[in-house]
Amino acid sequence: MLPLKDPSLLIDKCLVNGKWVGAQSGKTVDVTNPATGDVIARIPSMSAQEVEDVIGHANAAFRPWARRSAKERSAILRKWFDLMTENADDLAVILTSEQGKPLAEARGEIVYAASFVEWFAEEAKRVYGDTIPAPQADKRITVIRQPVGVTAAITPWNFPAAMITRKAAPALAAGCTMIVRPADLTPLTALALGVLAERAGVPAGVLQFVTGSSRVIGKVLTDSDVVRKLSFTGSTEVGRVLMEQSAATIKRLSLELGGNAPFIVFDDADLDAAVEGAMIAKFRNAGQTCVCANRIFVQRGVYDAFADKLAARVSALKVGNGMELGTEIGPMIEEKGIEKVLAHIDDAISKGAELKVGGKRLDGLMLQPAVLTGVTTDMTVTQEETFGPLAPLYAFDTEEEAVAMANDTIFGLAAYFYTKDHARAVRVSEDLEYGMVGHNTGLISNEMSPFGGVKQSGLGREGSKYGIEEYLEMKYICSAV
Ligand SMILES: NC(=O)C1=CN([C@@H]2O[C@H](COP(=O)(O)OP(=O)(O)OC[C@H]3O[C@@H](n4cnc5c(N)ncnc54)[C@H](OP(=O)(O)O)[C@@H]3O)[C@@H](O)[C@H]2O)C=CC1
Ligand SMILES: O=C(O)[C@H](O)CS(=O)(=O)O
């Protein structure tokens, strides 16, 4: 049993039309604690027909929900935010138990996740339209915004709370209904958020949670013409599959996909600040975030000093069970995650890089954070997202060379650079081909900023005043008077 103040938040059922149900087949999927390997719950494996039924409930609930006033929807979202805040400790314990991140980081994610609910509770009341001067005297032109309708979300395991609310909050704020399919690795946090949404007054059918085979559920959701929009966060390769599957019904899509973030340190940078920024940008969630620094470019004049400072900080990181006080790096989520990091290290070393610190496999899914020096662009880590605690350091000479290397990727999600030179900051911010750029900071994510990528890192933006647009349609009305 998990140490919860409110054990009713740990639920192993799906939320279907206001009821918590198992799969009719009785089939379940194990949820394990990555730090211990213990099975902490068994969740339903829903069938295609059951998902079709869920879509029907979402459709039946849509018009009554859309007809509620924006202020009513706002008040319910605000209550959901309040309940998330009141239950943050329990939500963090559930999150760490299934995802592995340190409890302090999990608590931070709950606050981050709740901030999207708070933000879109406010944005719900600010969906405005237009009146436009008509070309003829006997016409009147108005533009109104209406909810897209029934929507769906497929979310990843690395942020089991924030990736749910970053989609569900704007959807519900706009008047849409949403079906959420959380990752099988980390469904419990999402289901707990469903319990709190119910308590907040979200009506039956407005927000539903289904678990089970992602391919089966994904196919039903993308094939359905009733589902008018899909929001997906995960790898680019799965994003491509879902985009193809959605083409037949011309579905609205929001795609938050893979990244390959450059982290550039110029020789005029505040080196200590750059090291702290690299520690956050690289090692948050044990490097398992889509905005993690994947390639660290350091101007040659400060390369050795930066490498020494970073190595000293990395070697001091405490690796362990996220529930233990003081743990800074939790376990990787699964075996394939560790294998990818070790493969990137082995490939780099075989091509001439040096392992400066770390890189040793510990018990279970624990892995020592690592720093590689002497990394060159022919190494696999340059084009592949590591998605783990590995910091590869590249040396460069000129600004043009650094920006060219930084942009040499199919991805375009986040980028970071450190310089005190104002003119250089303007040039580099504009020249980097990314959706988000951190200048002298390694932490750029918050509810008020438009989160999203360009190139093959995705479509659309989440959070900010732009996030609700993803769940709205525009209608132009021409009236003869
Ligand atoms: N841009 C962003 O914000 C983020 C991007 N990512 C990227 O995702 C990758 C790692 O995360 P990871 O979760 O492994 O990514 P995946 O793309 O493998 O999985 C993401 C989600 O998609 C589901 N899924 C997998 N295949 C299908 C399918 N054919 N149809 C429908 N759903 C499917 C998974 O379900 P299940 O695994 O349960 O089968 C999971 O819930 C990295 O590239 C990372 O950068 C991750 C998080 C955030
Ligand atoms: O899924 C992710 O990696 C998150 O989007 C990263 S963040 O929002 O916490 O920066």
Side-chain angles (χ1 to χ4, degrees), residues 14-57:
C14 290
L15 180 54
V16 174
N17 202 28
K19 296 184 181 64
W20 292 96
V21 298
Q24 287 161 8
S25 66
K27 281 186 189 162
T28 59
V29 179
D30 288 355
V31 182
T32 56
N33 180 333
T36 63
D38 297 339
V39 175
I40 51 181
R42 289 186 172 83
I43 52 158
S45 181
M46 304 293 266
S47 68
Q49 183 52 56
E50 286 168 307
V51 179
E52 293 285 4
D53 296 344
V54 168
I55 293 172
H57 297 313

Side-chain angles (χ1 to χ4, degrees), residues 154-158 163 166 181-185 214-215 218 232-236 238 241-242 245 256-259 289-290 336 385 387 413 451 457:
I154 297 175
T155 57
W157 48 263
N158 61 342
M163 294 309 101
R166 198 159 81 179
R181 190 279 172 179
D184 273 354
L185 288 168
S214 57
R215 283 149 189 76
F232 171 69
T233 293
S235 63
T236 292
V238 174
V241 169
L242 294 171
Q245 290 179 190
E256 298 291 350
L257 305 178
T289 95
C290 56
K336 73 175 182 181
E385 182 180 36
F387 225 62
L413 191 58
F451 188 105
S457 284

Side-chain angles (χ1 to χ4, degrees), residues 99 155-160 183 185-186 285 288 333-334 336 387:
Q99 198 274 339
T155 57
W157 48 263
N158 61 342
F159 286 84
L185 288 168
T186 56
N285 200 16
Q288 300 170 118
I333 190 71
E334 57 186 337
K336 73 175 182 181
F387 225 62

